[in-house]
Amino acid sequence: MSLLNTTPSPDATAAPGGPLLVVDSLTKSFGDHTVLRGVDLHLDKGEVVALIGPSGGGKSTLLRCINQLELPTSGQVTLDGTPLVSTRGGAVVAPSAKALLRVRRQIGMVFQSFNLFANMTAEQNIVFAQRAALGTGKDEARERARTLLERVGMGHKAGSHPSQLSGGQQQRVAIARSLALDPRVILFDEPTSAIDPEMRSEVLSVMRELAEAGMTMLVSTHEMGFAKQVSDRTVFLCDGGILEEGPSRSLLEQPTHDRTRQFLRAIAEG
Amino acid sequence: MDFSLLPAALWLTAQITILSALIGMAAGVLVVLARRSRVAPLRWLAIAWTDVVRGVPPLVWLMLVFLGVGVFTPLGAAVIVFGLVASAYCAEIYRSGLEGVAKGQYEALDALGIPTRTGRLRVVVPQAAVISAPAVVSYVIGMVKDTSLASVIGVAELTFVANRAANRTGDGITPFVTVGVLYLLLSLVLALVGRAAAARAESGWAA
Amino acid sequence: MSDFLADSVSWLPDLLRGLGHSLWLTFVSLLLGLPLGLVLGYVTERTTSRPLRWLLVAVIELARGLPALVVLYLIYYGLPSVEVVLSAFWSIIAAFTFSNAGYVSEIVRGAIRGIPAGQLEACQALGIGRARTFASVIAPQALRISTPSLVGYAAIVFQSTSLAVAVAEPELLNAAYNIGSITFQYLQVFIVAGALYAVVVIAASRFAGWLATRTQY
Ligand SMILES: Nc1ncnc2c1ncn2[C@@H]1O[C@H](COP(=O)(O)OP(=O)(O)OP(=O)(O)O)[C@@H](O)[C@H]1O
Ligand SMILES: [Mg+2]
């Protein structure tokens, strides 16, 4: 069963015009504290990339810079050839409100803390997102919400408010809400970290299906099993820079840098 | 004392409370909007309003508006004063309600590309309203007591009637005990109504 | 405008004398109301006797639910019927102490409830007695938690001293009213009096806000 509306073309990775998402020399400082020091990253269409690294290494900041929840300090992010970061005279400037909305509708985001709207039921969350962001008609939005909830295994909880759902259930609704806007790529920021261990698999299996259906995904995670089995590529982000990247299996099994090895050992023992 | 005067007096007390509560809750919205405005002078004005309105005792406001301005009836002056005072308190309650909405809710609105105004209206305000509701209810219950001050400028509400009865009959206990009980009952009724309303508003999602 | 200024200056001695008396009323009623409220709050929160707790809760609710003006009238006009005659000053103090004690005890109860139960269990586990637990663990933390609210409350007490005008006690509002009834410049004199009240109250609230940021651990 596909989680996506459209089946991606088999040669999606060879789409003309190069990779779908390109991050180019991205830096970010908070005051004089530099968090990202020149990150380069690209995601092909349909590719799943795992972002791993020590706490405070800048994973969240990188994801938030990509969809402009944070304004990067310098560098560029390109989605399908379109630059997303506004610059004037070489300096990054805040984009217009309209441009921001457009960027964010094309880039989905799934948060560690779910962030479902507390005053709405699961279904209302998804209906509202479509109507408010895309102007979808009521019936169509509701229809789609029902379908998506079924697909993430939450059809039976459509009328529940977030406070009545477990973490794993909330996160599945949040994924459905993100999917409802038909994003080109979805960013996941430690989607299972705030969930009880026994509930994580329900979220991870939804993500796995999503990956198999051809969704382009960038996933910050501490789940090495997920990185190894689901992601095509793994990126090790440390102290604000990419120290190492490569096919997930080889990077996770035979890291080349000591720092990576040390991190993986700590995780395995943790 | 003449108990037949009490129903009218009680009704007057209730009227002052309800009218000024309604004025205060509505005007409080304007004040909090100014307080959170992008225009700095509007923000300063809102801060000055809440500080000055709350800094001057209500009884001083009553005298200032009734005797000083001198164009209002006692009842009109009382409703205006208690309404304006309530606007300042409600604005502060709304403000902390807005601050109580989790940061993640704003982030989710941003990440989904939902226009600011829509997000505020459909997500932030409903949540802030539920957070603020209990504080608004207890403020309004407190207003019942405050309205007794209107007796000083001659509004014939409960305290005024009791005071006159005490002066006429020389019995200073019966009238004040009687209206005291009525004040407590009125607060109790408001508390029950408020609790029922809050339970309805919260049903489902309040954390 | 210059008239306004000149008038205001000429009224200032009377108004400031009134302000002084308002502050004195505030001070005396807090001096009596604070300790009473502390004890009332502590006993209500910690007593194991249910009837006692209900009785105290009833007293607190009465103190909080009755308009201070009604309590004041009851004491000033009502008590003489049972042969208890208090001066205006002591009627005010009695009325405010009663209302204050109710408020203060609510603040204190909240603060005591804010101390994690684990700390009290730790005291029990360590075999520390009740009195010692109150003096060394509960009271310092409760006071620290509630100090900002209590300062804020002192500002409210100060405002409410204006009620004393109803029994002709010579405090600030009374002084303003007297000036107004002689000069008929009610608006001006109440503006000046209001400003004096506001200055004291705003200063106290700012101080309370500053304390609140300081008292977090
Ligand atoms: N808004 C901010 N203001 C100042 N510093 C910030 C801000 N956001 C993040 N930082 C700093 O940026 C650094 C990177 O944080 P980030 O949240 O991106 O790390 P992370 O890799 O996601 O860590 P974790 O695994 O704990 O989520 C940290 O040192 C953090 O203190
Ligand atoms: Mg993070």
Side-chain angles (χ1 to χ4, degrees):
Chain A
M1 182 175 65
S2 165
L3 275 165
L4 296 179
N5 258 2
T6 48
T7 342
S9 53
D11 61 347
T13 51
L20 179 66
L21 182 75
V22 178
V23 176
D24 184 18
S25 341
L26 192 80
T27 72
K28 173 69 188 173
S29 308
F30 293 102
D32 48 9
H33 176 45
T34 300
V35 177
L36 298 176
R37 32 189 112 237
V39 173
D40 294 296
L41 184 69
H42 63 89
L43 267 78
D44 289 332
K45 196 166 178 208
E47 199 178 21
V48 177
V49 172
L51 190 59
I52 64 168
S55 186
K59 301 183 296 294
S60 300
T61 307
L62 173 59
L63 297 177
R64 296 164 59 85
C65 281
I66 290 175
N67 73 350
Q68 316 263 301
L69 280 179
E70 300 283 0
L71 197 62
T73 305
S74 71
Q76 185 54 273
V77 178
T78 315
L79 184 69
D80 219 0
T82 313
L84 305 183
V85 179
S86 311
T87 52
R88 194 177 302 139
V92 173
V93 293
S96 73
K98 237 183 187 160
L100 264 182
L101 294 184
R102 208 168 334 116
V103 166
R104 289 170 178 163
R105 285 168 195 163
Q106 295 182 65
I107 302 179
M109 177 124 186
V110 173
F111 298 90
Q112 183 174 349
S113 50
F114 331 127
N115 297 350
L116 289 178
F117 301 129
N119 55 326
M120 300 180 186
T121 64
E123 181 179 309
Q124 284 165 351
N125 260 276
I126 304 175
V127 170
F128 170 68
Q130 295 173 80
R131 290 174 59 73
L134 305 177
T136 315
K138 197 181 243 166
D139 293 336
E140 190 189 339
R142 199 172 295 160
E143 178 81 33
R144 183 143 165 74
R146 293 258 166 83
T147 314
L148 285 166
L149 282 172
E150 284 303 333
R151 287 191 183 163
V152 298
M154 289 295 296
H156 61 301
K157 292 283 189 187
S160 301
H161 283 275
S163 61
Q164 301 163 324
L165 300 175
S166 74
Q169 291 175 325
Q170 289 185 60
Q171 194 61 296
R172 284 184 283 156
V173 175
I175 292 174
R177 184 178 70 177
S178 183
L179 283 173
L181 302 192
D182 264 327
R184 314 286 308 270
V185 48
I186 303 188
L187 313 174
F188 292 80
D189 191 3
E190 296 193 32
T192 57
S193 292
I195 300 174
D196 290 339
E198 59 272 26
M199 308 284 191
R200 286 181 187 161
S201 62
E202 61 194 35
V203 173
L204 291 172
S205 73
V206 165
M207 291 171 62
R208 180 194 307 259
E209 283 172 38
L210 208 52
E212 281 162 5
M215 176 53 82
T216 311
M217 298 160 58
L218 179 56
V219 185
S220 139
T221 184
H222 289 295
E223 297 275 347
M224 293 307 139
F226 175 84
K228 199 178 287 184
Q229 290 157 29
V230 181
S231 70
D232 304 302
R233 206 150 39 90
T234 294
V235 171
F236 181 67
L237 187 70
C238 180
D239 299 330
I242 294 179
L243 196 61
E244 180 166 2
E245 69 175 298
S248 296
R249 194 162 289 274
S250 66
L251 184 134
L252 293 169
E253 282 169 4
Q254 290 139 358
T256 49
H257 279 78
D258 276 348
R259 188 74 187 78
T260 318
R261 216 170 289 139
Q262 203 186 329
F263 171 76
L264 290 173
R265 202 177 317 122
I267 288 268
E269 284 163 5
Chain B
M1 78 177 283
D2 185 358
F3 287 95
S4 68
L5 295 174
L6 285 178
L10 180 65
W11 173 231
L12 211 46
T13 293
Q15 262 182 312
I16 304 173
T17 308
I18 294 167
L19 286 178
S20 38
L22 291 177
I23 292 175
M25 288 191 281
V29 172
L30 299 181
V31 177
V32 82
L33 282 177
R35 181 68 207 261
R36 292 173 64 94
S37 156
R38 242 174 299 169
V39 186
L42 268 181
R43 284 202 302 274
W44 299 332
L45 206 65
I47 293 174
W49 176 261
T50 46
D51 274 359
V52 170
V53 166
R54 297 186 309 161
V56 176
L59 193 51
V60 177
W61 278 128
L62 280 171
M63 293 205 172
L64 199 156
V65 170
F66 179 63
L67 293 174
V69 178
V71 300
F72 300 107
T73 62
L75 178 62
V79 169
I80 291 172
V81 164
F82 291 122
L84 295 186
V85 171
S87 80
Y89 281 97
C90 286
E92 286 298 285
I93 294 171
Y94 298 155
R95 191 164 69 94
S96 61
L98 287 168
E99 280 164 10
V101 175
K103 225 178 94 217
Q105 302 285 308
Y106 292 91
E107 296 207 324
L109 288 168
D110 282 347
L112 289 164
I114 290 168
T116 314
R117 185 181 296 244
T118 314
R120 295 274 154 86
L121 226 54
R122 297 284 309 279
V123 174
V124 177
V125 169
Q127 293 188 31
V130 172
I131 299 172
S132 309
V136 172
V137 168
S138 49
Y139 179 72
V140 172
I141 293 170
M143 283 178 67
V144 175
K145 294 189 312 173
D146 294 347
T147 59
S148 68
L149 300 179
S151 63
V152 176
I153 59 166
V155 181
E157 46 68 80
L158 286 172
T159 307
F160 184 89
V161 168
N163 201 6
R164 199 167 47 186
N167 285 338
R168 281 192 188 155
T169 63
D171 171 11
I173 293 193
T174 319
F176 292 117
V177 169
T178 309
V179 299
V181 169
L182 289 176
Y183 277 111
L184 292 178
L185 284 177
L186 203 53
S187 310
L188 192 68
V189 168
L190 276 181
L192 292 177
V193 170
R195 191 179 303 172
R200 264 189 73 143
E202 285 189 26
S203 64
W205 63 270
Chain C
M1 188 66 205
S2 64
D3 277 0
F4 179 77
L5 272 183
D7 285 345
S8 305
V9 169
S10 71
W11 299 331
L12 264 187
D14 280 351
L15 292 178
L16 287 178
R17 209 166 315 127
L19 175 63
H21 196 62
S22 296
L23 289 170
W24 174 239
L25 284 168
T26 309
F27 177 74
V28 177
S29 44
L30 282 175
L31 198 66
L32 296 174
L34 278 178
L36 195 64
L38 259 166
V39 172
L40 193 58
Y42 176 73
V43 174
T44 312
E45 196 51 31
R46 284 266 158 260
T47 180
T48 46
S49 153
R50 280 209 169 175
L52 178 62
R53 171 189 289 236
W54 284 339
L55 181 73
L56 294 180
V57 167
V59 170
I60 291 173
E61 287 306 319
L62 215 57
R64 280 157 32 90
L66 287 175
L69 190 55
V70 171
V71 177
L72 175 58
Y73 283 148
L74 190 58
I75 293 172
Y76 189 66
Y77 294 125
L79 288 189
S81 324
V82 290
E83 308 300 321
V84 180
V85 181
L86 294 181
S87 66
F89 181 85
W90 287 108
S91 298
I92 293 160
I93 296 297
F96 287 180
T97 302
F98 179 64
S99 322
N100 295 354
Y103 277 99
V104 170
S105 64
E106 273 303 286
I107 295 173
V108 171
R109 283 175 75 191
I112 291 176
R113 261 179 262 144
I115 300 172
Q119 291 188 21
L120 303 182
E121 283 178 7
C123 287
Q124 285 172 357
L126 292 165
I128 298 171
R130 284 172 69 100
R132 192 64 210 267
T133 302
F134 176 69
S136 306
V137 179
I138 297 177
Q141 295 191 65
L143 274 178
R144 193 180 177 119
I145 296 172
S146 51
T147 299
S149 323
L150 292 176
V151 173
Y153 187 61
I156 297 177
V157 174
F158 169 68
Q159 284 202 336
S160 63
T161 59
S162 58
L163 298 194
V165 73
V167 292
E169 181 71 8
E171 43 64 69
L172 175 51
L173 182 56
N174 190 283
Y177 181 75
N178 287 339
I179 293 170
S181 55
I182 294 166
T183 63
F184 290 104
Q185 294 179 303
Y186 283 111
L187 187 61
Q188 290 92 316
V189 72
F190 285 134
I191 287 177
V192 178
L196 288 175
Y197 277 110
V199 166
V200 173
V201 171
I202 292 172
S205 329
R206 289 278 184 275
F207 179 59
W210 176 80
L211 273 181
T213 61
R214 288 277 314 238
T215 47
Q216 276 146 15
Y217 285 101

